[in-house]
């Protein structure tokens, strides 16, 4: 590494080389830390290519400037720039999100870039020995980062997501728009999880207005919302949506039944809304997965210890159109809308699949009740869900393909006291297979979204809309502009322009005249 130095030395993982200017480091290194000591004034651009570094120690030199290219060291967790001659820092330092320790002490810094507020993983920030304002020096680290992030200039609004048309409508007045959206409950927002988002943009008063604006812009006929807190449903979502022509139903997670009133209001759940000029509610059904697990708990420790402890729910609504559809012999068609929120923990893949099996069994029961009560052969189904499962998971495989082997790795070799075998049939090869009778398609399959959940630590598809073959997919909302996210250095949601860590799904359906 070349340096402009009289007596420059550098250390690699603690091993010092006495004459760095005469040595050329190998073209490919696996050093995780570099220390440069002496009277170094200029740094070689080669340093910024060592993106694998986790520690860089440049203290006690004569460095007057740090270039923005330092942000290329994406894996850096420790950066020591103390005892140099720095008067400013590049804004790009805010791109070094992995930093946990930043030493800027004993320089000539009079101001700090607000971009430092983006370094939400910082555990230590040394500023002593700089001519910084007293109000900056006196703030605790968390308050300083919050202040700087809150004062950071917000980027322009994103371009609108593009609508993707798939096929024309088959009826004149039978088509309808469905939105599914995990709105991120207020109790889950904190700086530990979402420290890259300004505090003012995390506050519920800001987010609820932004969420409502997102919901209303599409004038959807059916809304399926997850992570709606009980109090926010009754005090915000229901009254605000009623003003805009919606009626709705809501159920909180099962724990709400055992909690005092003061705590119950913070429990989140699932809500279904519909335009009351388009649909009316005929029947509803609540699915509590822990109660279903309790019914199958005898002799099944896995069911008791793993599924019964998770209080996720599912809400089903039978809706009927207000106006008859001429192309359907002037009947008022009915549809079943299912809104589910499956357990989140990646370590409990088996629980996700078990809850999905239970979901489909309950949907079959609900369907059978409806067909018997209303003397109809079948009813179109729409399933909106935060599945907390990737596309290649067992839960999504089961929904989309209608079958899953008992030996699937997502069951993690757990037998659930015979629960799986009890509902399995053997195929031609003798394998135990669990099936469901619904022929489901997945919206977005032909136009896949890169993510529906976007945070700094995770990016992937977790949210889905499935539908049966008796309705057609007319169109769907496309992805968020990836170039916009990259250009504006947006590393995760929530964000001032994105009020939840999930994005909303919007699709348009019409009835399949050949099938209905």
């Amino acid at each position: 590494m070349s340096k402009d130095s009289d007596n420059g030395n550098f250390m690699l993982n603690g091993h010092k080389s006495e004459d760095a200017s005469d040595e050329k480091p190998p073209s490919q290194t696996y050093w995780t830390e570099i220390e440069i000591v002496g009277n170094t004034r200029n740094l070689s651009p080669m340093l910024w290519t060592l993106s694998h570094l986790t520690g860089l120690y440049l203290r006690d030199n004569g460095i007057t400037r740090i270039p923005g290219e330092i942000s290329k060291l994406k894996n850096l967790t420790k950066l020591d720039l103390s005892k140099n001659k720095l008067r400013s820092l590049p804004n790009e330092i805010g791109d070094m999100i992995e930093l946990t320790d930043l030493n800027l002490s004993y320089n000539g810094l009079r101001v700090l870039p607000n971009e430092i507020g983006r370094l939400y993983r910082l555990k230590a920030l040394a500023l002593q020995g700089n001519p910084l304002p007293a109000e900056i020096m006196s703030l605790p680290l968390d308050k300083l980062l919050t202040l700087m992030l809150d004062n950071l200039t917000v980027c322009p609004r994103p371009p609108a997501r593009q609508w993707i048309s798939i096929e024309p409508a088959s009826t004149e007045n039978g088509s309808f728009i469905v939105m599914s959206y995990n709105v991120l409950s207020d109790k889950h927002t904190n700086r530990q999880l979402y420290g890259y988002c300004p505090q003012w943009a995390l506050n519920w008063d800001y987010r609820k207005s932004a969420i409502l604006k997102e919901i209303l812009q599409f004038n959807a006929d059916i809304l399926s919302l997850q992570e709606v807190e009980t109090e926010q449903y009754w005090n915000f979502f229901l009254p605000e949506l009623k003003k805009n022509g919606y009626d709705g139903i809501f159920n909180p997670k099962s724990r709400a039944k055992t909690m005092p009133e003061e705590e119950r209001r913070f429990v989140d759940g699932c809500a279904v809304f519909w335009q009351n000029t388009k649909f009316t509610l005929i029947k509803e059904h609540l699915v509590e997965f822990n109660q279903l697990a309790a019914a199958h708990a005898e002799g099944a420790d896995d069911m008791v210890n793993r599924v019964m402890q998770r209080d996720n729910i599912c809400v089903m609504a039978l809706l009927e159109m207000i106006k008859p559809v001429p192309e359907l012999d002037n009947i008022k068609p009915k549809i079943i809308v299912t809104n589910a929120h499956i357990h989140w923990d990646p370590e409990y893949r088996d629980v996700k699949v078990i809850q999905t099996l239970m979901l489909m069994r309950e949907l079959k029961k609900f369907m059978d009740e409806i067909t018997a009560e209303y003397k109809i052969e079948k009813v179109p189904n729409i399933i909106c869900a935060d599945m907390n499962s990737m596309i290649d998971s067992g839960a999504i495989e089961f929904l989309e393909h209608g079958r899953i082997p008992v030996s699937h790795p997502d069951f993690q070799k757990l037998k659930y006291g015979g629960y799986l075998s009890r509902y399995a049939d053997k195929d031609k090869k003798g394998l135990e297979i669990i099936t469901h009778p619904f022929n489901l398609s997945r919206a977005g399959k032909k136009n896949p979204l890169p993510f529906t959940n976007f945070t700094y630590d995770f990016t992937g598809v977790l949210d889905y809309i499935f539908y049966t073959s008796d309705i057609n997919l007319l169109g769907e909302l496309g992805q968020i502009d990836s170039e916009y996210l990259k250009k504006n250095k947006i590393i995760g949601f929530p964000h001032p322009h994105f009020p939840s860590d999930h994005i909303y799904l919007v699709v348009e359906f019409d009835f399949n005249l050949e099938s209905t």
Side-chain angles (χ1 to χ4, degrees):
M1 183 175 301
S2 62
K3 298 192 294 296
D4 180 4
S5 173
D6 295 326
N7 295 295
N9 302 316
F10 68 85
M11 300 178 69
L12 312 175
N13 282 337
H15 299 290
K16 185 169 73 172
S17 171
E18 294 296 340
D19 191 357
S21 60
D22 292 338
E23 289 195 17
K24 291 184 178 180
S27 59
Q28 185 173 11
T29 74
Y30 296 95
W31 310 319
T32 57
E33 297 185 344
I34 289 182
E35 180 177 12
I36 301 175
V37 295
N39 192 29
T40 301
R41 292 187 292 277
N42 296 317
L43 297 167
S44 167
M46 186 195 305
L47 182 59
W48 318 127
T49 69
L50 305 179
S51 58
H52 61 282
L53 290 179
T54 60
L56 179 59
Y57 305 92
L58 303 176
R59 62 181 175 270
D60 206 8
N61 284 288
I63 301 170
T64 59
R65 176 181 174 274
I66 293 293
E69 285 79 6
I70 193 173
S71 64
K72 293 180 180 179
L73 305 182
K74 297 292 187 184
N75 294 305
L76 214 60
T77 61
K78 297 180 180 180
L79 176 59
D80 188 349
L81 299 173
S82 63
K83 297 182 180 179
N84 280 288
K85 299 179 180 180
L86 298 173
R87 296 188 175 217
S88 65
L89 295 170
N91 293 342
E92 289 83 354
I93 199 168
D95 299 338
M96 305 175 71
I97 308 298
E98 292 296 323
L99 280 179
T100 58
D101 294 272
L102 177 57
N103 191 342
L104 301 173
S105 59
Y106 300 102
N107 279 283
L109 299 171
R110 295 182 178 275
V111 294
L112 297 174
N114 283 330
E115 282 76 6
I116 284 182
R118 300 179 67 218
L119 305 180
Y120 76 103
R121 294 191 165 183
L122 273 185
K123 299 292 187 293
L125 174 61
L127 297 174
Q128 66 270 23
N130 286 285
L132 289 162
E135 57 267 28
I136 295 295
M137 299 295 290
S138 62
L139 284 175
L141 176 58
D142 60 337
K143 294 187 181 301
L144 176 60
L145 294 177
T146 298
L147 174 67
M148 301 182 83
L149 186 59
D150 284 354
N151 284 284
L152 190 61
T153 302
V154 178
C155 64
R157 294 196 63 82
R161 292 165 61 186
Q162 296 300 303
W163 182 258
I164 302 171
S165 296
I166 296 174
E167 64 175 82
S170 54
T171 67
E172 185 175 340
N173 68 333
S175 65
F176 54 96
I177 295 173
V178 177
M179 171 186 277
S180 183
Y181 193 12
N182 181 322
V183 299
L184 180 61
S185 70
D186 185 41
K187 70 175 182 293
H188 291 151
T189 59
N190 56 67
R191 277 198 60 83
Q192 285 70 41
L193 289 175
Y194 308 113
Y196 48 79
C197 181
Q199 186 60 52
W200 57 266
L202 277 181
N203 290 340
W204 178 244
D205 284 343
Y206 174 85
R207 291 201 307 114
K208 70 180 183 182
S209 299
I211 289 168
L212 183 63
K213 186 177 180 180
E214 288 184 325
I215 289 173
L216 295 179
Q217 67 178 312
F218 294 99
N219 196 32
D221 301 294
I222 298 170
L223 305 171
S224 289
L225 307 182
Q226 303 90 35
E227 278 197 36
V228 175
E229 288 187 14
T230 300
E231 183 177 57
Q232 301 303 346
Y233 174 79
W234 294 108
N235 293 344
F236 176 70
F237 284 106
L238 185 60
E240 289 297 326
L241 288 172
K242 272 185 172 293
K243 293 177 187 175
N244 290 275
Y246 289 93
D247 289 329
I249 57 173
F250 167 80
N251 284 100
K253 288 178 178 175
S254 303
R255 76 187 73 160
K257 296 178 179 178
T258 62
M259 301 174 77
E261 181 65 31
E262 180 62 24
E263 297 176 17
R264 189 184 310 152
R265 62 194 181 101
F266 298 115
V267 177
D268 68 280
C270 295
V272 176
F273 295 92
W274 56 91
Q275 286 275 12
N276 54 29
T277 56
K278 185 83 171 184
F279 291 101
T280 186
L281 177 68
I282 302 298
K283 191 181 186 72
E284 63 182 284
H285 178 55
L286 169 65
V287 177
E288 296 180 280
F289 295 116
N290 61 355
Q291 296 301 310
L292 294 175
H296 296 88
E298 186 175 353
D301 291 344
D302 300 326
M303 193 69 80
V304 173
N305 297 326
R306 298 178 73 81
V307 184
M308 275 183 61
Q309 310 303 316
R310 323 297 161 195
D311 65 342
N312 303 82
I313 64 161
C314 165
V315 176
M316 298 176 183
L318 174 64
L319 302 179
E320 183 180 74
M321 281 196 159
I322 299 289
K323 298 179 180 179
V325 177
E327 294 87 349
L328 297 175
D329 297 329
N330 276 320
I331 67 166
K332 298 177 180 178
K334 298 177 176 62
I335 59 171
I336 297 173
V337 177
T338 297
N339 183 12
H341 193 183
I342 300 302
H343 182 58
W344 68 272
D345 194 340
E347 297 299 318
Y348 286 79
R349 304 190 312 274
D350 55 304
V351 173
K352 300 173 193 284
V353 186
I354 292 291
Q355 289 182 342
T356 307
L357 300 182
M358 291 175 169
L359 164 65
M360 298 311 290
R361 287 186 58 79
E362 287 298 300
L363 182 57
K364 177 64 165 59
K365 290 180 183 178
F366 190 49
M367 179 84 157
D368 289 345
E369 290 177 11
I370 291 167
T371 55
E373 183 174 351
Y374 297 98
K375 311 300 181 185
I376 50 180
E377 186 177 339
K378 59 181 178 179
V379 182
N381 275 268
I382 299 168
I383 300 175
C384 302
D386 176 357
M387 294 296 297
N388 274 309
S389 301
M390 302 285 277
I391 290 174
D392 61 354
S393 67
I396 304 306
E397 176 184 326
F398 177 65
L399 284 176
E400 191 166 6
H401 299 293
R403 51 187 283 134
I404 188 172
V406 171
S407 60
H408 193 285
D410 278 11
F411 287 119
Q412 305 194 84
K413 298 182 179 180
L414 302 173
K415 299 300 183 184
Y416 280 89
Y419 174 82
L420 299 179
S421 297
R422 193 155 49 247
Y423 296 109
D425 296 313
K426 288 189 177 181
D427 67 5
K428 295 178 180 179
K429 296 181 180 179
L431 293 176
E432 288 187 310
I433 305 292
I434 301 176
T435 63
H436 71 71
F438 299 91
N439 181 17
L440 294 176
S441 297
R442 171 167 53 87
K445 188 170 185 177
K446 293 182 179 179
N447 303 288
L449 298 174
F451 62 81
T452 65
N453 181 235
F454 178 43
T455 68
Y456 181 70
D457 293 311
F458 175 83
T459 300
V461 174
L462 299 178
D463 306 89
Y464 303 87
I465 296 178
F466 291 92
Y467 59 99
T468 49
S469 58
D470 30 23
I471 49 179
N472 295 330
L473 180 63
L474 305 187
E476 55 196 4
L477 195 62
Q479 67 184 59
I480 293 171
D481 187 344
S482 58
E483 286 301 313
Y484 167 83
L485 298 178
K486 182 178 179 180
K487 177 182 177 181
N488 292 287
K489 301 178 180 180
I490 298 175
I491 60 172
F493 303 157
H495 177 273
H497 299 321
F498 302 94
S500 174
D501 58 342
H502 292 250
I503 65 172
Y504 45 82
L505 308 181
V506 182
V507 299
E508 185 175 14
F509 292 116
D510 201 351
F511 294 94
N512 183 341
L513 298 181
E514 295 180 1
S515 177
T516 304

